Amino acid sequence: MTSIRIRSAGSADPALIDDLVAANRILYDQGVVDAFGHISARHDKDPNRYLLSRSMAPALVTAADIMEFDLDSNPVDAHGRTTYLERFIHGEIYKIRPDVKAVVHSHSLGVLPFANTAIRLRPMNHMAGFLGSGPPVFEIRDTAGPESDMLIRNGGLGQALAKVLGSNHVLLMRGHGSVAAGQSIRHVVFRAIYTEVNARTAAEALKLGKPIFLNAREAAAAMKTNDAQIDRPWSLWKQQATRT
Ligand code: MN
């Protein structure tokens, strides 16, 4: 663990923390994360800080588990808590994408056929318009060589991954999983869920024949419509995931 002392940006908006905790539970409830995977949000008081749980299963996260990090992914307030090995995914994306306010990393299985083959993941229906003409695939061997454990465990790998993401909303990781980026926690949760749903339906369609996907204009228009209605699925998913 690092011994660097970094000043805190102060308390985040409690509503932002509430959404981040709910998002952890929703992503588990919807089958996007299991014991692994994580979601972060940019700090509302300082764009050079982000918020992410300590290392634990997302479905168990509470407000007390949320930690603050700088964009090099050093914890500001570790207090002996352990951090996710792959937190660099988040910090390095926030560095180069000022428009991004939340990031999800998951290992959901539906995307892997598209991460591990040359078949591009393209939008099957309007809910997945954010996929555009298909997410890029990050090949860790291009940066780490042939002997990595596949994890984004340092800033250099995170930087390489963020560069491949570029201006896209989703990135696939060969042999590993995916990343979604968005302008809010609600938007990124929507994208993470529909990336997985779209991957499953696209795989089915590819078995039948040659699917017709949304073209770039349809995808962009559908994304704009869905982005404006983000609170509707959020309230449903939140109620489902947080009911006792
Ligand atoms: Mn991972």
Side-chain angles (χ1 to χ4, degrees), residues 132-215:
S133 53
V137 179
F138 177 70
E139 171 52 82
I140 194 167
R141 287 179 198 157
D142 292 345
T143 309
E147 293 187 32
S148 79
D149 66 358
M150 308 303 288
L151 300 189
I152 308 301
R153 54 169 58 253
N154 60 54
L157 285 166
Q159 200 176 357
L161 178 143
K163 198 173 167 189
V164 174
L165 174 69
S167 60
N168 291 279
H169 305 297
V170 175
L171 166 91
L172 308 187
M173 302 160 74
R174 197 270 307 163
H176 188 157
S178 61
V179 172
Q183 64 270 51
S184 76
I185 290 172
R186 296 174 188 210
H187 287 88
V188 83
V189 164
F190 179 94
R191 289 174 190 166
I193 290 170
Y194 278 107
T195 295
E196 173 64 16
V197 169
N198 190 87
R200 284 188 229 143
T201 52
E204 287 301 312
L206 285 160
K207 282 184 214 163
L208 297 181
K210 292 184 177 173
I212 299 166
F213 297 102
L214 270 64
N215 66 31

Side-chain angles (χ1 to χ4, degrees), residues 86 105 107 151 176:
E86 298 193 283
H105 167 55
H107 306 154
L151 300 189
H176 188 157

